[in-house]
Amino acid sequence: MAAPVTVGGIVEQNITETEQILPESTSGELKRPQFGTRFLTDPRQVFQHNAWDNVEWTEEQEAAAKKKVQENSQPLPQEKQEEFECRANEFWNEFYTIHENRFFKDRHWLFTEFPELAPQCRLNRDSCIGDLRAEDSEPHGLEQSQGQSSEVTPLAPVDGDFPGSSAMYRILEVGCGVGNTVFPILKTNNDPGLFVYCCDFSSTAVELVKANSEYDPGRCYAFVHDLGDEGAIYPVPDASLGVIVLIFVLSALHPDKMQASISRLARLLKPGGVLLLRDYGRYDMAQLRFKKGRCLSDNFYVRGDGTRVYFFTQDELHDYFSEAGLEKVQNMVDRRLQVNRGKQLTMYRVWIQCKYRKPHTQPPETQE
């Protein structure tokens, strides 16, 4: 198979994730196959579909990708790096001011890859637990842990005066943007005991969420929050959340702030709660497209609009979550070949998908 193709002329943020046309079931509901069900066995058929799953790279491809990254890895001067760090909020506000809610599509694939967000996790718990155990089986040879259930136990009501304090099941999305995750959750999961929190670094994005006609303050609380600010306070107490969602957001944070940010989020999870992540993997097409003069540090870059992005390995993410006292349920690489059939272009994407659970009994070294 040919080496990864660098496709020019595409806005980088617009290639964060793939959206598929979903087939309808006989009941009229849309169903999306879980990742890992379409394999390219004959390279001559590459343009027969828009995407292929679990595409293995040859040694030559990986060597070419490493070489490309090394060629463009000279970091910018320290003063420029500090400027991008200090103005990060400004750049994200400008991004959402320009694009508003027109840039990203709603992430309806969430309920296939992360069934913890689906309504049956509360409305039909026996069925959900069985389905989640099936989800945790290793898909098509991808690396993940075995024998662990993704059951998310409903919360007992928490005393205190905070938004959603009477809810039985709480979800927090960090880096919500304009609501492409939170609104599909609210629309799909009509559990009366559910309350969803969503936050973003950008005040412009949060205002767009609140202005959406689907925003319901009785079921959702949107707020501005800097994930990397150690002094920033979340509006919920520790051990109060069932699920935390990080979709293409940790990569926007400075690498030096990632561990502390994950550790703070882990404290918000109740025992048995899960943290769900999907983000950029090492040597993704977006990384290979960066030219010289865009590197801030190893595998950390600044885009043309001033926003930043990091490209992870599985081991890096595992270390962050383990250090925060969380246990692995899933940690897999999603290697996908996307195809532009009209232009006869192939694009190699690399994403990492993780699920980590807070144990019911914390190890002595992580207990407070």
Side-chain angles (χ1 to χ4, degrees):
M1 196 171 294
V5 175
T6 300
V7 181
I10 301 175
V11 180
E12 286 159 6
Q13 294 97 329
N14 203 22
I15 53 176
T16 54
E17 53 200 84
T18 182
E19 296 291 340
Q20 300 181 10
I21 298 175
L22 308 182
E24 289 194 10
S25 68
T26 54
S27 63
E29 297 179 348
L30 296 179
K31 291 188 176 181
R32 178 187 183 274
Q34 189 180 10
F35 162 71
T37 58
R38 179 178 289 165
F39 299 98
L40 178 62
T41 56
D42 183 353
R44 295 172 298 180
Q45 304 297 316
V46 65
F47 295 109
Q48 294 299 310
H49 296 286
N50 291 328
W52 301 93
D53 296 325
N54 198 19
V55 176
E56 294 296 330
W57 285 26
T58 65
E59 292 182 2
E60 291 78 9
Q61 279 179 282
E62 188 153 352
K66 289 180 179 179
K67 181 180 179 181
K68 180 70 173 178
V69 168
Q70 290 171 354
E71 289 174 351
N72 300 327
S73 62
Q74 181 66 33
L76 290 172
Q78 187 62 35
E79 59 269 21
K80 291 296 294 182
Q81 297 192 39
E82 293 174 357
E83 177 185 352
F84 287 119
E85 174 70 17
C86 293
R87 298 179 61 193
N89 178 265
E90 175 187 338
F91 290 129
W92 278 111
N93 277 332
E94 288 178 359
F95 174 84
Y96 286 112
T97 298
I98 294 170
H99 298 289
E100 295 184 340
N101 61 355
R102 300 183 298 269
F103 202 82
F104 300 109
K105 297 180 181 179
D106 285 351
R107 295 159 173 158
H108 296 290
W109 52 265
L110 284 169
F111 307 104
T112 300
E113 302 299 337
F114 298 132
E116 294 85 351
L117 303 174
Q120 62 264 32
C121 285
R122 282 273 293 125
L123 299 180
N124 186 0
R125 284 183 42 73
D126 291 339
S127 173
C128 176
I129 293 170
D131 291 344
L132 295 177
R133 285 175 177 157
E135 287 283 344
D136 285 339
S137 62
E138 187 172 354
H140 306 285
L142 294 176
E143 177 189 351
Q144 63 185 62
S145 61
Q146 298 295 311
Q148 299 188 60
S149 165
S150 292
E151 174 185 355
V152 179
T153 307
L155 300 175
V158 176
D159 294 331
D161 184 16
F162 64 93
S165 58
S166 61
M168 297 296 293
Y169 187 58
R170 302 185 191 93
I171 296 173
L172 166 65
E173 184 197 6
V174 181
C176 64
V178 297
N180 301 109
T181 294
V182 67
F183 289 124
I185 292 174
L186 291 171
K187 189 181 300 183
T188 302
N189 195 333
N190 58 1
D191 179 0
L194 171 69
F195 197 89
V196 180
Y197 306 86
C198 59
C199 63
D200 200 276
F201 187 36
S202 166
S203 59
T204 302
V206 172
E207 288 305 313
L208 287 168
V209 170
K210 292 181 176 180
N212 192 303
S213 61
E214 296 180 359
Y215 181 72
D216 179 1
R219 302 184 66 214
C220 181
Y221 180 71
F223 59 100
V224 178
H225 187 87
D226 181 356
L227 176 62
D229 183 356
E230 294 189 25
I233 299 174
Y234 288 95
V236 296
D238 289 352
S240 64
L241 299 175
V243 179
I244 296 175
V245 184
L246 296 166
I247 306 293
F248 295 102
V249 62
L250 189 63
S251 55
L253 200 62
H254 193 287
D256 290 347
K257 298 182 177 182
M258 290 180 182
Q259 181 63 71
S261 300
I262 292 295
S263 295
R264 286 195 297 275
L265 288 173
R267 290 195 292 269
L268 299 179
L269 285 173
K270 70 177 187 66
V274 293
L275 191 152
L276 311 176
L277 174 142
R278 188 171 176 86
D279 219 319
Y280 294 101
R282 190 69 47 84
Y283 308 134
D284 176 66
M285 183 188 75
Q287 182 177 16
L288 302 184
R289 291 181 64 240
F290 279 107
K291 307 298 183 183
K292 292 181 180 178
R294 289 294 172 186
C295 183
L296 298 171
S297 59
D298 288 347
N299 305 297
F300 189 45
Y301 303 84
V302 60
R303 301 182 179 100
D305 62 5
T307 62
R308 300 170 299 172
V309 59
Y310 186 84
F311 296 86
F312 295 99
T313 65
Q314 289 174 279
D315 288 343
E316 286 174 333
L317 288 168
H318 179 74
D319 289 344
Y320 286 143
F321 295 135
S322 297
E323 179 66 23
L326 303 180
E327 298 175 340
K328 183 174 76 168
V329 176
Q330 180 190 71
N331 183 332
M332 73 179 193
V333 176
D334 180 345
R335 296 184 183 272
R336 192 166 301 184
L337 173 59
Q338 292 182 344
V339 174
N340 184 322
R341 290 187 280 180
K343 296 183 179 180
Q344 297 285 287
L345 297 175
T346 56
M347 298 166 283
Y348 289 81
R349 306 312 312 270
V350 183
W351 298 307
I352 297 181
Q353 182 167 303
C354 295
K355 301 181 187 183
Y356 279 74
R357 177 184 294 111
K358 188 172 187 176
H360 287 277
T361 302
Q362 287 288 86
E365 62 270 18
T366 60
Q367 290 181 343
E368 295 185 358

